[in-house]
């Protein structure tokens, strides 16, 4: 029982990160039915910007906020320059462009900051908060998960109670009618990309703030596959599904690590891909997605 | 001609290599209800889409004297033209009230709430279902929603694409009755594209018949109703 | 207007022209081979760019793999991005057969081709239900799994785990020898080329050493294998199955309505693409001498796609260009130690992947047909060649 609880607690930590990146992917998917392969790298770049700002003396959380805003602006520019030009129904060029962005952003971060691991500011208080028997839940995990919930609530409010949020949901729902109602599609999409990038940056920052981890340009590479699987599992167009999916993948990870006697690191990746395969083949709408998530 | 609300001339539209409209000409006066009849594929929907900016065309389209032919849809809405597309075009995942609010997107004044209320008065069923998702409404209710949404932008010209499509006759009757009322009370000019010639001509002022991308017949609605050719083709003898 | 030349097929004039074209290509080939059999390099500024048969052999390997991508992505329109999986499969299978069972490299193709074809068909089954970017996603995920599979403890004796599988023969302890047949007058050709006035210096000095002969022979062999693959695929495209593939790419519904068996066409196209990936892998491991897991990661899959796009999706010459791009650009990028106005700091790090990523983006935006289409357009400015049958039909 203790072991199981510990699994659960471990799942919270990673699961929250995957959930935040997954949320970013869901935002973009909702608006454009596109999967942004560069999302993880954008998030990583954002986290590095946060790190740099902090090194220049800006207080931790201020750096995070500025980093989020900056990555949002960058994402809006990326959307305008590269994504806007393509027909959303033609997947191939868009897939290729996001792959290109993946390579470029990764390379740029590596060129600027090199590959040496660096210490990321500790965003959350350290130490164990709760101890149940032998299972220990750290403050970090609680705050990571809490931040995740907070982000989701903020997004929910943003999307349901503001005009631009309404525009965003209208665009995801019916592109043509949105145009007929006077919604400026381009601006709305940029908004979506900016929000997604900000969520991603927060996710990567929280991930890097883990006391046992250090930040370097490859941190989000593995997280990408997990986040995409989490998003698919939750239903690519559901924000809460992304949270659920993220936690599930986190849980699968901590379970797989213990109970399958292969090289743990590698097998969690395999597990994620297998889950992805099953979801995409048999239940593309995931847990909470709408059935209209199209496969064709 | 200075009074004409909408003036269309030499309108030509192509989809890929196929020319769908061959230089048609028609106009709409303020406060009128004008109907465009025609069979499937005649080009009726394309005509409306050309006006609302959803499809590229050559020729001239003038609204209140200004050319709108190359403008983007979001700009044309702001000029005062609202388009209710074929198939209603509601936002299925949004609630009824949210649909209406999207309709008012271009506005930032204080009267949006008042207009919402008057819409609910006209269609009480929308008020009942205002918190339900639009996708759960029946066909007729969705049509009411779609029209109300278009009206929320306070347009001068309302474009309606086959409002009777897929609806039961009584519902269609009720719908068109209210259109007539709207036109009389609010003065909203309407350009309606329809296959159901009977009911359309009954409430319209003037009509055009579109055949294979060209205007075959035009005239006063009550005269068209009596026209032999129209009777045979569209009114069943 | 550019001058137009009309060529009528099956006339002696046409056949002569074609023969001339092929002969010049082969000649050019041989010249390159002899020039770079030794370590050749081009110096620009203070940077030295390596161009040797080692690089070219790798380019051949990549080209064949990218040819596979052309079949499945370019001609059948399926966004299957996991080519590194089969590249790796071919490499490991060959390495194992050569090292543990003393097979000659070329013979391993007998196992690699059907093996990869079969696995390719099986892994292609999800494609029957999934399309577009979901397929892209899934295939990239599968590609990401390859290093994991190969590092499994249970497969250690076959794959050598994380350290990789050497192609050194277990029994003899030596590398497989690529020895050219004695009747091939490589030395004589080298001498002759060296005696050409003015440019003789490019072709090295003295007779070819054993190592150089072996490298030359590898190059010739691999080129022949690749040429065979290209020839087969070019015939495939013109044939009925090839037309079926293109029909599927252009419009699946129309294709189905015209009687194309969608499932069959897609599955076979996956099989062929995977087989080509495997062949590429064999060439790669024959050149490099070791199959290690990280040489076949999903990053490699992405780089192969870069090659596909830069070369030109849906063209044969694009595969060749793509292979060269992949083999040369990252290497040359890291060889660039100094450019006059760029601070050195910016030249360190993964500049290769930066350039490849930029190429991917810029080409998709501005030259969607890749380099080969752009080159065709340039050629058309100077002369348009129109082919027609004897009866005058184009």
């Amino acid at each position: 029982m203790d072991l199981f609880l510990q699994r659960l607690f471990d799942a919270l930590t990673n699961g929250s990160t995957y959930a935040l990146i997954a949320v970013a992917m869901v935002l973009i998917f909702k608006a454009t039915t596109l999967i942004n392969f560069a999302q993880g790298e954008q998030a990583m770049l954002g986290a590095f910007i946060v790190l740099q700002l902090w090194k220049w003396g800006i207080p931790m959380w201020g750096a995070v906020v500025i980093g989020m805003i900056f990555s949002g602006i960058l994402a809006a520019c990326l959307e305008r320059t590269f994504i806007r030009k393509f027909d959303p129904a033609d997947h191939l060029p868009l897939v290729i462009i996001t792959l290109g962005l993946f390579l470029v952003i990764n390379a740029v971060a590596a060129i600027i900051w090199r590959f040496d691991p660096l210490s990321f500011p500790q965003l959350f208080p350290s130490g164990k908060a709760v101890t149940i028997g032998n299972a220990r839940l750290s403050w970090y995990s609680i705050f990571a998960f809490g931040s995740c919930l907070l982000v989701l609530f903020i997004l929910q409010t943003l999307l349901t109670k503001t005009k631009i949020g309404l525009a965003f949901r209208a665009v995801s729902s019916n592109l043509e009618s949105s145009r007929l109602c006077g919604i400026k599609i381009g601006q709305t999409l940029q908004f979506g990309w900016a929000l997604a990038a900000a969520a991603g940056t927060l996710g990567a920052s929280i991930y890097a703030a883990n006391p046992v981890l250090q930040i370097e340009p490859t941190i989000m590479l593995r997280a990408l596959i997990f986040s995409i699987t989490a998003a698919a599992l939750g239903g690519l167009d559901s924000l809460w599904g992304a949270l659920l999916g993220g936690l599930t993948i986190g849980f699968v990870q901590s379970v797989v690590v213990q109970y399958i006697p292969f090289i743990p690191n590698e097998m969690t990746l395999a597990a994620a891909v297998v889950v992805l395969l099953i979801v995409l083949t048999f239940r593309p709408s995931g847990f909470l997605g709408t059935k209209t998530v199209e496969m064709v | 001609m200075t009074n004409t609300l909408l003036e269309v001339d030499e309108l030509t539209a192509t989809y890929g290599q196929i020319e769908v409209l061959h230089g048609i000409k028609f106009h709409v006066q303020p406060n009128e209800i004008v109907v465009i009849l025609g069979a499937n594929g005649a080009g009726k929907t394309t005509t409306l889409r050309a006006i609302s900016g959803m499809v590229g065309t050559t020729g001239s389209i003038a609204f209140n004297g200004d050319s709108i032919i190359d403008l983007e849809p979001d700009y044309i809405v702001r000029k005062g033209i609202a388009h209710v597309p074929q198939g209603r075009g509601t936002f299925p995942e949004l609630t009824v009230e949210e649909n209406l609010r999207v309709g008012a997107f271009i506005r930032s004044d204080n009267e949006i709430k008042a207009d919402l209320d008057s819409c609910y008065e006209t269609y009480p069923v929308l008020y009942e279902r205002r918190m339900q998702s639009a996708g759960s409404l029946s066909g007729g209710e969705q049509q009411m929603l779609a029209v109300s949404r278009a009206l929320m932008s306070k347009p001068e010209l309302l474009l309606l694409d086959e409002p009777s499509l897929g609806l039961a006759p009584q519902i269609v009757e009720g719908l068109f009755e209210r259109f007539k009322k709207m036109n009389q009370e609010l003065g909203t000019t309407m350009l309606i594209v329809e296959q159901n010639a009977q009911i359309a001509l009954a409430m319209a002022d003037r009509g055009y018949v579109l055949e294979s991308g060209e205007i075959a017949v035009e005239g006063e609605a009550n005269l068209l109703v009596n026209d032999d050719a129209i009777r045979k083709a569209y009114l069943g003898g | 207007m550019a001058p137009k030349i009309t060529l009528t097929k099956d006339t002696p004039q046409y056949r002569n022209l074609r023969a001339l074209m092929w002969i010049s290509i082969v000649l050019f080939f041989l010249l390159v081979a002899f020039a770079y059999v030794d370590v050749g390099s081009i110096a620009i500024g203070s940077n030295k760019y390596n161009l040797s048969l080692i690089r070219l052999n790798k380019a051949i390997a990549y080209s064949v793999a990218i040819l596979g991508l052309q079949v499945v992505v370019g001609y059948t329109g399926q966004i299957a991005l996991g080519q590194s999986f089969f590249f790796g499969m071919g490499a490991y299978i060959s390495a194992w057969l050569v090292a543990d069972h003393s097979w000659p490299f070329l013979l391993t193709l007998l196992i690699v081709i059907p093996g990869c074809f079969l696995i390719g068909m099986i892994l292609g089954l999800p494609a029957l239900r999934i399309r577009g970017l979901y397929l892209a996603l899934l295939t990239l995920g599968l590609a990401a799994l390859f290093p994991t599979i190969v590092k499994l403890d249970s497969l250690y004796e076959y794959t050598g785990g994380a350290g990789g599988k050497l192609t050194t023969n277990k029994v003899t302890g030596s590398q497989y020898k690529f020895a050219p047949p004695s009747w091939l007058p490589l030395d004589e050709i080298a001498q002759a080329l060296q005696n050409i006035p003015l440019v003789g210096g490019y072709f090295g000095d003295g007779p070819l050493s054993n190592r150089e002969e072996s490298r030359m022979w590898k190059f010739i062999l691999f080129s022949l294998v690749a040429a065979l693959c290209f020839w087969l695929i070019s015939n495939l495209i013109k044939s009925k199955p090839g037309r079926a593939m293109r029909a599927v790419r252009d419009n699946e519904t129309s294709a189905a309505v015209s009687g194309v068996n969608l499932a069959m066409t897609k599955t076979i196209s996956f099989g062929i693409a995977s087989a080509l990936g495997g062949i590429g892998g064999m060439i790669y491991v024959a050149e490099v001498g070791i199959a290690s897991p990280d040489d076949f990661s999903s990053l490699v899959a992405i780089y192969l796609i870069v090659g596909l796009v830069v070369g030109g999706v849906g063209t044969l010459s694009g595969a060749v260009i793509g292979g060269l791009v992949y083999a040369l650009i990252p290497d040359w990028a890291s060889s660039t130690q100094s450019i006059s106005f760029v601070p050195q700091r910016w030249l360190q790090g993964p500049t290769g992947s930066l350039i490849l990523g930029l190429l991917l983006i810029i080409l998709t935006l501005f030259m969607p047909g890749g380099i080969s289409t752009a080159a065709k357009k340039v050629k058309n400015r100077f002369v348009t060649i129109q082919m027609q049958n004897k009866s005058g039909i184009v």
Side-chain angles (χ1 to χ4, degrees), chain A residues 160 163-164 166-167 169-185 188 237 290 292, chain B residues 49 52 54 72-74 77-78 83 85 88-94 98 101-108 149:
Chain A
T160 47
K163 198 165 175 189
I164 184 131
L166 184 63
R169 284 187 303 134
V171 166
S172 329
S173 173
N174 189 330
L175 186 65
E176 210 180 82
S177 292
S178 302
R179 298 180 78 193
L180 290 176
C181 290
I183 296 179
K184 292 192 199 281
I185 308 290
T188 312
D237 59 352
T290 53
T292 54
Chain B
R49 287 169 63 100
S52 62
M54 297 296 284
E72 289 294 313
D74 58 86
V77 173
R78 286 169 170 82
H83 181 173
R88 339 282 174 233
T90 50
F91 299 100
E93 293 92 359
L94 272 49
E98 285 172 333
R101 285 195 180 277
V102 176
F105 191 77
I106 57 175
R107 295 165 54 181
S108 44
R149 186 193 76 210

Side-chain angles (χ1 to χ4, degrees), chain B residues 195-212:
Chain B
Q195 275 192 62
N196 186 337
Q198 187 131 26
I199 195 155
L201 287 174
M203 55 163 269
D205 296 310
R206 288 186 303 116
Y208 296 86
V209 177
L210 203 55
E211 263 170 31
S212 307

Side-chain angles (χ1 to χ4, degrees), chain A residues 124-143:
Chain A
F124 305 124
S126 57
K128 307 286 174 232
V130 176
T131 310
I132 302 181
N134 273 329
R136 280 183 287 256
L137 182 61
S138 61
W139 279 117
Y140 173 76
S141 300
I142 296 183
F143 273 102

Side-chain angles (χ1 to χ4, degrees), chain A:
Chain A
M1 185 54 192
D2 276 356
L3 207 54
F4 181 74
L5 264 181
Q6 188 66 60
R7 303 274 162 280
L8 219 50
F9 294 159
D10 291 339
L12 264 185
T13 319
N14 287 334
S16 305
T17 307
Y18 303 146
L20 278 170
I21 310 280
V23 159
M25 309 214 65
V26 164
L27 278 171
I28 292 191
F29 183 82
K30 276 172 85 80
T32 61
T33 69
L34 174 66
I35 289 186
N36 179 8
F37 284 108
Q39 198 69 56
E41 298 310 285
Q42 281 177 268
M44 177 271 293
L45 185 66
F48 265 102
I49 292 174
V50 170
L51 178 71
Q52 196 62 59
L53 289 171
W54 177 67
K55 281 195 163 170
W56 285 338
I58 299 182
M60 266 186 338
W61 279 102
V64 171
V65 170
I66 298 179
M68 285 169 68
I69 295 177
F70 189 83
S71 53
I73 296 176
L74 180 64
C77 295
L78 286 178
E79 194 279 333
R80 181 103 197 263
T81 326
F82 300 120
I83 311 289
R84 188 86 61 90
K85 309 224 183 312
F86 296 100
D87 173 16
D90 184 9
H91 283 163
L92 186 58
L94 287 169
V95 167
I96 295 181
I97 292 256
T98 58
L99 284 177
L101 285 172
F102 171 91
L103 287 176
V104 168
I105 298 177
N106 182 284
V108 164
I111 291 176
I112 299 179
W113 286 286
R114 316 285 183 119
F115 284 107
D116 310 313
L118 300 167
S119 289
F120 198 83
Q122 288 217 345
L123 297 174
F124 305 124
S126 57
K128 307 286 174 232
V130 176
T131 310
I132 302 181
N134 273 329
R136 280 183 287 256
L137 182 61
S138 61
W139 279 117
Y140 173 76
S141 300
I142 296 183
F143 273 102
F145 180 61
S147 308
C148 207
L149 282 178
L150 187 64
V151 166
L152 269 150
F153 273 113
I154 294 180
L155 276 176
Q156 182 87 322
T157 315
L158 206 58
L159 289 182
T160 47
K161 302 248 186 303
T162 64
K163 198 165 175 189
I164 184 131
L166 184 63
F168 182 84
R169 284 187 303 134
V171 166
S172 329
S173 173
N174 189 330
L175 186 65
E176 210 180 82
S177 292
S178 302
R179 298 180 78 193
L180 290 176
C181 290
I183 296 179
K184 292 192 199 281
I185 308 290
Q187 287 180 4
T188 312
L189 290 183
Q190 277 188 305
F191 170 73
W193 274 72
L195 266 189
T201 298
L202 182 63
S205 300
I206 292 181
Y207 187 68
N210 191 334
V212 309
L213 283 184
Q214 293 188 297
I215 186 172
E216 33 86 27
T218 60
I219 48 164
M220 283 289 129
L221 287 181
R222 292 176 60 84
L224 182 68
I225 273 275
F226 295 126
S227 307
I228 292 182
T229 307
L233 193 55
L236 281 164
D237 59 352
S238 161
L239 287 171
W240 289 102
L243 175 62
L244 202 54
L247 292 175
T248 310
I249 295 291
F251 184 71
V252 166
Q253 260 198 333
S254 40
V255 166
V256 167
V257 163
Q258 290 308 326
Y259 297 124
I260 301 188
F262 293 127
I263 310 169
N265 233 10
E266 305 298 331
M267 286 321 284
T268 55
L269 185 62
V273 175
V274 166
V275 169
L276 187 62
L277 176 64
I278 295 175
V279 171
L280 288 182
T281 316
F282 298 114
R283 198 189 154 87
S285 53
F287 288 141
L288 301 175
T290 53
K291 285 273 185 307
T292 54
V293 170
E294 263 196 45
M295 299 308 275
V296 295

Side-chain angles (χ1 to χ4, degrees), chain B:
Chain B
M1 281 318 210
T2 45
N3 231 4
T4 315
L5 190 59
L6 182 73
E7 178 93 48
V8 173
D9 200 4
E10 286 297 327
L11 190 66
T12 309
T14 39
Y15 278 131
Q17 308 282 36
I18 309 173
E19 193 177 270
V20 178
L21 293 177
H22 311 302
I24 61 175
K25 178 186 167 77
F26 64 92
H27 66 275
V28 180
Q29 310 275 40
N31 305 120
E32 270 195 310
I33 300 183
V34 172
V35 128
I36 298 185
L37 300 172
N40 265 334
K44 311 190 300 292
T45 300
T46 311
T47 307
L48 288 187
R49 287 169 63 100
I51 300 172
S52 62
M54 297 296 284
V55 78
T57 49
T58 54
S60 84
I61 305 178
F63 184 67
N64 272 326
D66 300 323
S67 168
I68 59 170
I69 188 135
D70 279 324
L71 296 183
E72 289 294 313
D74 58 86
Y75 204 64
I76 292 180
V77 173
R78 286 169 170 82
K79 277 217 171 265
I81 301 180
H83 181 173
V84 181
Q86 195 177 55
R88 339 282 174 233
T90 50
F91 299 100
E93 293 92 359
L94 272 49
T95 64
V96 166
E97 180 147 318
E98 285 172 333
N99 267 264
L100 294 171
R101 285 195 180 277
V102 176
F105 191 77
I106 57 175
R107 295 165 54 181
S108 44
D109 53 81
N110 304 335
E111 293 175 23
I112 299 182
K113 182 83 182 38
D115 289 333
L116 268 180
D117 291 335
S118 74
C119 151
Y120 288 141
E121 255 187 69
T122 319
Y123 294 117
V125 68
L126 289 184
Y127 181 75
E128 279 168 38
R129 299 197 190 283
R130 70 190 184 285
M131 288 312 190
Q132 287 180 19
S133 69
S136 64
L137 265 53
S138 72
E141 289 161 355
Q142 287 200 26
Q143 187 62 18
M144 295 177 207
L145 178 58
V147 174
S148 306
R149 186 193 76 210
L151 288 174
M152 287 300 289
S153 65
K154 291 204 123 41
E156 269 186 77
L157 173 64
L158 188 62
L159 306 174
L160 290 149
D161 196 340
E162 300 211 41
S164 72
L165 198 63
L167 300 180
Q170 307 133 289
I171 306 202
V172 173
E173 258 186 64
L175 216 51
F176 275 75
E177 260 173 44
R178 289 216 203 79
F179 291 164
K180 188 83 188 172
K181 262 177 110 186
M182 255 176 230
N183 169 260
Q184 286 164 341
E185 289 169 8
L186 300 174
T188 316
T189 316
M190 296 181 187
L191 177 61
I192 308 181
V193 142
E194 255 301 337
Q195 275 192 62
N196 186 337
Q198 187 131 26
I199 195 155
L201 287 174
M203 55 163 269
D205 296 310
R206 288 186 303 116
Y208 296 86
V209 177
L210 203 55
E211 263 170 31
S212 307
E214 290 182 355
I215 300 212
V217 187
E218 57 183 280
E220 302 281 321
N222 47 10
L223 295 180
L224 286 180
V225 164
N226 294 323
D227 180 295
D228 278 338
I230 305 250
R231 292 183 80 105
K232 284 213 187 86
Y234 301 102
L235 303 177

